[in-house]
Amino acid sequence: MCRLTIVTTAGRPDEQSLKLAELASQELNAEIISRQKRSVRKLAEIYNANIIVAGKNRFEYYAKGAEAPFFFHPNSAAFRLKRVARGEEEPLLTASAIQKGDTFLDCTLGIGSDSLLAAFAVGETGKVTGLEADKNVAFIVKTGMQTYDTTELPLTGCMRNIEVIHSTALEFLKKQEDASFDIVYMDPMFEEVIEESTNFEALRFAGDHIPLTDEWVKEAKRVAKRRVVLKAHYKSDWFEQYQFQRDGRLTAKFHYGIYIK
């Protein structure tokens, strides 16, 4: 059963915060609750709910019980894009063999970093679709991509071209025609936690963590025109189980698996 979500504002809301709260309320069909000097933790306890906080220039999502909020920021993708711009190899792009004009389906959008890399690679003639199973996370990332000031990180302007859809991967894939996306990409939450990765803790707590299944992989292979790419912990047996060619790197905690049609 899905937990209730409510919307509130920062402690001292301005006009912009109130407008953002109204937007979140409409998009998520969630009630706006006045802050009244109460902490986010207190509101979560009173209403037994997840909390969306409309701040002055962004949304923050506190899943019930979370100590830190999930919010959109393209920092990690911007760092990777700078490396690509310098001509350095980006493992995701190499594994995907992305070309200008390609269609790329990200089955597990999360914070959107991988989709942003893909959007940069496919260019204006291509298309990237990102699926996110958690409605609140999808809302945070979608609005963030639409409104983030890309002048600060100019290479990230391609985020405007990403279509964010609230859906589980399997639900969406079943509705697609055969070979309808050039590349289908899957990055389920790792079976084993990578201790060094602290950037994703808020998402790990907030998002829906749906394990890989036979049906999911079967549908991904059907919908992909050229290849399916799987990202998983280096200890994972998914690569062998689902017949993906492992693209291993000696120092990496995760590997990419490639299935070429």
Side-chain angles (χ1 to χ4, degrees):
M1 182 176 179
C2 294
R3 188 183 296 277
L4 174 71
T5 295
I6 62 173
V7 178
T8 191
T9 61
R12 296 182 178 180
D14 58 9
E15 184 177 348
Q16 177 65 12
S17 298
L18 294 172
K19 288 182 179 179
L20 289 176
E22 186 61 34
L23 171 64
S25 174
Q26 293 176 359
E27 290 288 325
L28 298 171
N29 192 27
E31 184 180 1
I32 298 176
I33 302 295
S34 176
R35 188 66 175 264
Q36 296 179 355
K37 298 182 179 180
R38 294 172 291 185
S39 68
V40 171
R41 178 181 292 183
K42 187 65 175 177
L43 286 174
E45 290 175 356
I46 293 172
Y47 293 94
N48 190 29
N50 302 314
I51 311 291
I52 299 285
V53 178
K56 292 185 177 181
N57 54 15
R58 74 180 187 192
F59 292 105
E60 294 186 346
Y61 171 36
Y62 290 83
K64 179 68 163 54
E67 295 295 329
F70 172 73
F71 58 90
F72 176 76
H73 196 290
N75 253 354
S76 60
F79 174 75
R80 294 165 70 188
L81 282 170
K82 287 179 181 178
R83 294 192 306 186
V84 172
R86 292 196 299 265
E88 298 179 27
E89 181 186 13
E90 166 52 46
L92 169 63
L93 302 186
T94 300
S96 301
I98 296 180
Q99 303 170 12
K100 292 291 183 184
D102 274 350
T103 51
F104 182 95
L105 176 64
D106 185 346
C107 290
T108 46
L109 181 68
I111 62 175
S113 294
D114 291 330
S115 277
L116 212 156
L117 265 289
F120 179 80
V122 304
E124 294 183 359
T125 58
K127 181 175 176 59
V128 172
T129 302
L131 310 178
E132 174 51 51
D134 185 277
K135 186 176 183 179
N136 295 335
V137 172
F139 170 75
I140 295 291
V141 176
K142 181 177 181 178
T143 55
M145 286 183 170
Q146 291 173 345
T147 60
Y148 190 85
D149 182 3
T150 58
T151 58
E152 177 188 347
L153 303 169
L155 289 176
T156 60
C158 51
M159 74 176 70
R160 302 285 196 265
N161 298 326
I162 299 171
E163 181 183 12
V164 177
I165 296 175
H166 167 229
S167 175
T168 65
L170 186 57
E171 178 185 19
F172 182 86
L173 286 166
K174 283 184 171 181
K175 298 176 182 177
Q176 309 310 305
E177 300 289 337
D178 293 355
S180 52
F181 286 86
D182 291 305
I183 301 143
V184 175
Y185 174 60
M186 305 180 294
D187 176 17
M189 282 289 184
F190 299 135
E191 310 105 296
E192 298 191 33
V193 175
I194 298 177
E195 293 181 0
E196 295 91 333
S197 297
T198 58
N199 293 343
F200 301 97
E201 282 308 304
L203 176 62
R204 189 181 296 278
F205 201 95
D208 285 343
H209 312 318
I210 302 173
L212 204 62
T213 63
D214 295 354
E215 189 176 17
W216 182 356
V217 175
K218 178 182 177 181
E219 287 297 314
K221 290 179 177 179
R222 179 186 65 80
V223 170
K225 182 177 182 180
R226 292 210 316 270
R227 65 175 58 193
V228 182
V229 177
L230 169 67
K231 179 181 179 181
H233 193 277
Y234 76 98
K235 293 181 179 179
S236 176
D237 61 2
W238 283 341
F239 302 109
E240 291 73 28
Q241 179 180 350
Y242 294 115
Q243 300 178 327
F244 282 81
Q245 178 182 342
R246 186 189 292 258
D247 180 15
R249 290 164 294 142
L250 293 177
T251 59
K253 296 290 186 173
F254 61 84
H255 290 168
Y256 290 100
I258 304 166
Y259 177 85
I260 301 175
K261 297 187 74 172

